[in-house]
Structure formats: structure tokens, C-alpha cells
Amino acid sequence: MGAGLEIPLDRILLGDCIETLRALPPASVHAVFADPPYNLQLRGTLHRPDHSLVDAVDDAWDQFTDFAAYDAFTREWLTECRRVLRKDGTLWLIGSYHNIFRLGTALQDLGFWILNDVIWRKANPMPNFRGRRFTNAHETLIWAARSEDAKYRFNYAAMKALNDDLQMRSDWYIPLCTGNERLRDEAGNKLHPTQKPEALLHRVILSCTQKGDVILDPFSGSGTTGAVAKRLGRRFIGIERDPTYAAAAERRIAAIQPLGDVETAPTPTRKEQPRIAFGSLVERGLVQPGATLTDRHRRWAAQVFADGTIACGTARGSIHGVGAAVQEAPSCNGWTFWHLVQADGALKLLDVFRTELAG
Amino acid sequence: MGAGLEIPLDRILLGDCIETLRALPPASVHAVFADPPYNLQLRGTLHRPDHSLVDAVDDAWDQFTDFAAYDAFTREWLTECRRVLRKDGTLWLIGSYHNIFRLGTALQDLGFWILNDVIWRKANPMPNFRGRRFTNAHETLIWAARSEDAKYRFNYAAMKALNDDLQMRSDWYIPLCTGNERLRDEAGNKLHPTQKPEALLHRVILSCTQKGDVILDPFSGSGTTGAVAKRLGRRFIGIERDPTYAAAAERRIAAIQPLGDVETAPTPTRKEQPRIAFGSLVERGLVQPGATLTDRHRRWAAQVFADGTIACGTARGSIHGVGAAVQEAPSCNGWTFWHLVQADGALKLLDVFRTELAG
DNA sequence: GACAGTGATGAATCGAACC
DNA sequence: GGGTTCGATTCATCACTGT
């Protein structure tokens, strides 16, 4: 703690991000988690196929005139965060393709040292309704030390334990914040447009801090960082300029019961089912385009295409759809119906490939 | 093709990336796939922002200057790629956290319009031996159109088919390039340090090009882009400055057997299916004049006329128009909205009739 | 109470062909 | 190029309701 500045702990500070950061003492926090505006640049309105309206992020705080303005803002608050961060502290950022490249570049230019980029793979993302792009199913986090030569904390064993005794990878599979976890106003509408799931912050905080450490969130919003920090026995400082959000976060955090020393055991995360698409067998060359599939009794023969579809007679589509069509059945599990005709004429059930890949 | 420049197809051009790009005609390729170097030890080939050459043995460069040199190099070759790219073409980049933020920022600054960032999740990444970070288990790709307002190709149906009839997401699970696919020298050592798996290029090329399109790879390396392009019936241009890599890639690609027209036939989309008018169902007696149509919830009932129009309340017109009118929606796909009430009272979706007729 | 079915919704840079 | 028409387009999750 320096310069006689006090560090206000376990509160949401109401005010402008940069000004408030400037009032904090240097080298005083162990970690920063920042979820800045994404600068989404949405143009029109978007409807679902059922004509319902997609509730977009159109808030004033996400509007910037151009990349230069966004970059200038980014560098200002990142500079202050770096000043406030202890030499052995680390910083987390989260963003999407709209802004994450600006953030990463600024980070590197300011002297931070990137340790990992981490992918939050969303279990249940919003689909792409118009079919014009890939489903945007992830967000990117960046984890960085204050400088290249800095010591930093990484709780390797905790992360490994959280991942069934395998090293924690840089891709994390976590559901969106929905249901009862999502804060709502009196009318039942979501209080904050971009509330992050507690599971995400749980992993972040557990990975790089210990009990009693101070975590700063300069864009506190709905207060997820503070809530998880308190539950895990960490201290926090939140900064938020919207009084409604700040008040809701204070109430939310006040209701949190900190875990005892014993129960600080990591919450088990939902296990992901390995899902294999037939197309990936084609991509990987395990099944060649042009190959022949047949059923157990060799009654039907189907040909494989480069896109992972198959064709049999006039039917073309997935292994499941074509299997159903030839049998005139309402549905069919193509994995257990179709066999690959191998070079020697022997049959190999597709499901065997799947088992091999998943294992 | 402009300025009398010839476009050299299906070859690896040996030479400096930027110089060779400058010799290509503008707006001549349909897609670019670029896997640029990202070790920042390229000093011998890097230029300062003022285009002067960076001295390879000059250790006085600080971190910022290194980044500036890398950025200048990046902007130079990206500018040339943008010139060579057709207006309706798209560009793919791949990188890791060391360079991907520089690449993405440069893309945006040069006027490219990011469509997706895509995560290549490695099935078998190298573990983190020292236990000081998360296992770096992914690389990031960026997919971008030439400008914000540009039309571009996205083979939505092919990507959906490749993913078992679910929309393709932005996170791709693909193994590293190993085993027989990996090119090796006489001593059995891997020929190229970062050879990309063919499965990755298969998905990239299938997603945004059609047969006969030209794909440019300015950092061709081991030639994966050319190999997969040739197999899928696309044309390619590779650029590589290392003669050993270029020669190995030429040999590799020469051995590729292109798939036939059948196996690479484009995935049929609904739009390309033979157009069926609702009236033809009435003409053929599949739907009787006077029959009743209703929606899934039996909220509305409409009567069928001999001319293929339907009426519901005061609304009369096509299945699309009346469907939109009763829902007070701007539009409606009548095929997937209306069901025929059959003799036994059961409902049959009109789209099922259409599928039967088309098949 | 269990289970099935329904409806709502999530950081989204989300037409194209034709006259 | 601008205006108009046609028609194509969604996955996982969870709260809630009804049987």
C-alpha cells in the first residue's frame, strides 16, 4: 500500500472506471478480472425463425465511435489496472471476436505477459438464425502476468483436481448463466445483459489466487466476481458506474455465505459427453469420400460424400436421415445401422469408429 | 484479372511472400488461408514501420519494437492478400496467443470484416511439462470477409451435414497432424515444425469455396492447403520461401488423387431443391379442395381452395401469406407452418408432402 | 410426486434475387 | 443502384403447466 491511499475492500465502488482506479493505491491487488464493453457494433434487429425478437445488447455503454476510441479507452483502464496490480499478480480479460484482438494487442503493448488464452466453450449458445456464419459458441479469456519476468501464482494441483486429475486445458466447457442464477428485475426481465456464470469465475479465481487475496473487477456489472470471491474466501473490489447494477450486486453479494475452510473444495463441473459427428470421420480420412456403406444384411448400399452426407437411391442426407428413409422408418440411429464396406469386403460398424475416436 | 498479370495455378511459388504476392493480379482468388510465422525471431526478414530492414543481430530491440516490426510485416502481407482477394472472397488466419491478437487487430484496421473466430481444439495437445500454465490445447482461426458490406460464400448446409445435422459451431475438435500424414525427412524427423492436419483444411475449404475456386496460401510450408484443395477439386496457389519445404509440398501434392465429381457434389440446400408449388399438391389430389389446414397447436383452421389458395377468417391467399396474416407476422413459411388435418384427425406437415414429391 | 410437453431465451457484428 | 418480393432460418437449457 503506498502514497497514503486507502484500499476499500469488499465493496462495489460507484463511479467511472478510470477515475476510480486512479484513486486506488499501487501494487495493491493480487488479481484483476475485467469484462469490458465488447463494442458489438450491431446494425439492425434480429428475429428468430418463429419471428420473436432477439434481445440484443444495445446499451449506451457498449457504443464507441470507432476502433481508435475503443483502443484509447482500453489502454487507459489497462494502464491503471497494471499500476494497481501487485508485481506478482495476474490479470484476466474476457471478450469476443469483436474486441478481444484489440484487448490482446493493448495488453502486449503495455508490457503484460500473456500466459494463456482460454476458451469458454458455451454449452448452450444462441444459434445462428440466418445460417450465414458458424454458431458463435465461445468467448475468449486472456490470462496475463504483469511482466515477462514476473513471478505469478498458478494453482496447478487445484486445477488438475478440478479436471479429474488431468491437466486443466485451455478450453473450458461451461453453460451460460441462466435460470435461477440469472438476476432479474421486478418484471422478471434479466437485470444485466451480460451476466457471467459463477462457474466461470469459480475456475478463474481458484486458478490464480489464495484465500485472503484481493480481486479487482473494474467492470463489476451484476457482481459475479464479488459473489464468487466472497464465497471462496477472497476479498474483492468492484467498480461500477451504473447505480442500478451496483445496488443489485451489493444485495447479491450480501446474501452470499462464504464457504468454510473445509468446504472450499472445488465444485465438480459438469462432465462433457464426447460427441462425434460422422463428418469428422470423413474429414480425418477414416472414411473416404466415395466409400460404400451398407446395412447388416447388405440390403442397401449408400455412397459417402466429402461433406459427410450419404446418398442411397434418391435420398441424400445424414447417416441417420438416409437410414430412416430407406427403411421407411420415422427415425434411425445411423451409427448402429450403417457399416463401412472395407477393402477386403468385410463390414465395420460405424459405431466402432466412434468408440475408437471417443476413447 | 487485371494489369496483364498472369495467375499461376496449382503451383508452389518459391520466393518472398510479399514480393510474390505483389506479382499476382488483383481480385483473382476466392479464398486465402494463411498460417503466418509467429515466433518473433524473424528479425532477418522483418521490416521496421519505416520499411527499413531489421538487423538480425541487433539485440537492442525492446519488446515494443519487436511487436511493431511484426505488425508492420503483418500489415504488409495482409494488404497484398486483400488486393489479390476477390470482393466476394474470404480470408482465414490461424495463430496462437503469441500472434493472433496482432493478426486480428491488423485485419480490422485494414478493413476486413470478421465473420467468426474459430477454435481448433486439439484432441492430443502437448502437455504443459512444468505445470506453470494451463495446457495450451487450442489454436485460433479468424474468418473474415474483404469488407463489411461484401457478399461472401458460406456453405451452411455442407457444414451442418458435416456436424450430424446440427449447425457447425465455432469450436472444432480435430487431432494434431501425426502418424503417416506427417511429412518426414530421410532421417525420419518431421519435415516441418507446424504441419497442419488435413482435416482442418478440409473443413475450412469446404465451408467457404466451391469446386474450381482458387485458394491462396501465402505461407504454404508443408503444403497442406494445396493438398486438400486438390483433393476437393479446388485450384490453389502456394507461396513458400524455403526451397526444401516447397519441393516437399510439390511432391506431396503431386501424389494426391482428386476426388470425383460425385463425392464432392455440393450438399443440396432447400433452396436448390426442385421448387414445388402448394397448388401442385392440390392438382395431384394429395390435398383435396375443401380440406382443412391447421397449425401445430390447432389455433387456426384454414380451408383449401381448388386453385391452391387457402382461407382463414377474412384472409385468403397463399399458404405463406395467410400464415403470416393469422400470426400477424411479417412473413411465414407456409410449408413448415400448416398441417393437413387427415381423415383420422392426425396432422401431417405440408413440408412432408413436399419432401415426398421432391424425393 | 413423476413425467411429458410447452414456451422462453442467451454478448449476434445474421438475405438474396429480381425488376 | 434502389425498391420490392420471395422465402429461408434455431440449439440447449430451464421454468412452468398439465396429466
Side-chain angles (χ1 to χ4, degrees), chain B residues 156 160 166-167 270 275 331:
Chain B
Y156 175 75
K160 190 171 177 178
L166 291 177
Q167 284 192 341
R270 169 154 271 160
R275 210 182 109 80
S331 66

Side-chain angles (χ1 to χ4, degrees), chain A residues 51-337:
Chain A
H51 304 300
S52 65
L53 186 66
V54 173
D55 184 13
V57 176
D58 54 0
D59 307 70
W61 48 256
D62 200 42
Q63 313 291 333
F64 293 83
T65 52
D66 52 26
F67 282 130
Y70 187 79
D71 291 344
F73 170 70
T74 298
R75 277 155 211 260
E76 232 177 329
W77 69 259
L78 270 178
T79 298
E80 287 308 311
C81 282
R82 190 155 186 269
R83 185 184 63 80
V84 171
L85 189 63
R86 289 163 51 112
K87 295 216 185 314
D88 59 354
T90 57
L91 172 139
W92 288 83
L93 297 179
I94 183 167
S96 66
Y97 66 84
H98 310 83
N99 69 328
I100 196 67
F101 306 114
R102 323 302 301 192
L103 297 180
T105 296
L107 212 54
Q108 291 178 314
D109 288 347
L110 291 176
F112 285 98
W113 188 249
I114 297 180
L115 299 168
N116 279 110
D117 58 340
V118 168
I119 304 304
W120 169 27
R121 301 177 50 226
K122 300 180 182 182
N124 45 348
M126 182 151 66
N128 185 293
F129 295 115
R130 303 302 295 265
R132 295 298 299 148
R133 303 180 177 199
F134 298 98
T135 305
N136 192 5
H138 73 274
E139 292 189 26
T140 301
L141 298 100
I142 305 177
W143 182 43
R146 198 175 176 284
S147 64
E148 178 176 356
D149 56 350
K151 308 264 184 233
Y152 60 89
R153 165 173 290 274
F154 176 55
N155 297 320
Y156 175 76
M159 287 297 101
K160 191 169 177 180
L162 200 58
N163 193 37
D164 278 353
D165 282 340
L166 293 176
Q167 285 191 346
M168 184 67 81
R169 295 169 42 119
S170 56
D171 52 335
W172 299 356
Y173 185 74
I174 293 174
L176 293 173
C177 178
T178 60
N180 287 332
E181 188 186 325
R182 190 92 198 207
L183 299 187
R184 295 180 194 282
D185 62 17
E186 303 75 22
N189 300 312
K190 59 186 176 191
L191 184 94
H192 191 280
T194 69
Q195 185 178 343
K196 295 290 173 290
E198 295 194 1
L200 185 72
L201 269 296
H202 183 110
R203 197 175 293 184
V204 164
I205 291 174
L206 218 56
S207 72
C208 65
T209 65
Q210 55 185 333
K211 294 195 86 166
D213 278 1
V214 178
I215 300 153
L216 166 68
D217 186 339
F219 305 95
S220 167
S222 61
T224 306
T225 303
V228 178
K230 180 177 177 188
R231 179 175 304 122
L232 292 175
R234 274 70 169 171
R235 318 296 299 268
F236 68 92
I237 306 169
I239 301 176
E240 174 56 46
R241 68 176 188 181
D242 183 308
T244 308
Y245 296 157
E250 291 272 22
R251 285 194 301 275
R252 172 188 184 184
I253 295 167
I256 295 281
Q257 193 66 32
L259 292 170
D261 284 341
V262 181
E263 320 102 273
T264 326
T267 54
T269 52
R270 198 177 322 207
K271 207 53 181 154
E272 176 195 358
Q273 305 291 344
R275 206 186 72 80
I276 309 274
F278 176 67
S280 66
L281 268 58
V282 179
E283 282 180 334
R284 299 186 198 185
L286 296 172
V287 175
Q288 302 286 340
T292 301
L293 303 184
T294 187
D295 65 294
R296 193 160 63 98
H297 307 290
R298 298 179 191 260
R299 280 181 294 210
W300 296 284
Q303 193 180 12
V304 175
F305 289 76
D307 59 7
T309 59
I310 66 174
C312 179
T314 59
R316 172 139 180 215
S318 69
I319 54 173
H320 314 295
V322 174
V326 298
Q327 298 178 91
E328 298 181 16
S331 67
C332 165
N333 183 345
W335 290 107
T336 55
F337 177 73

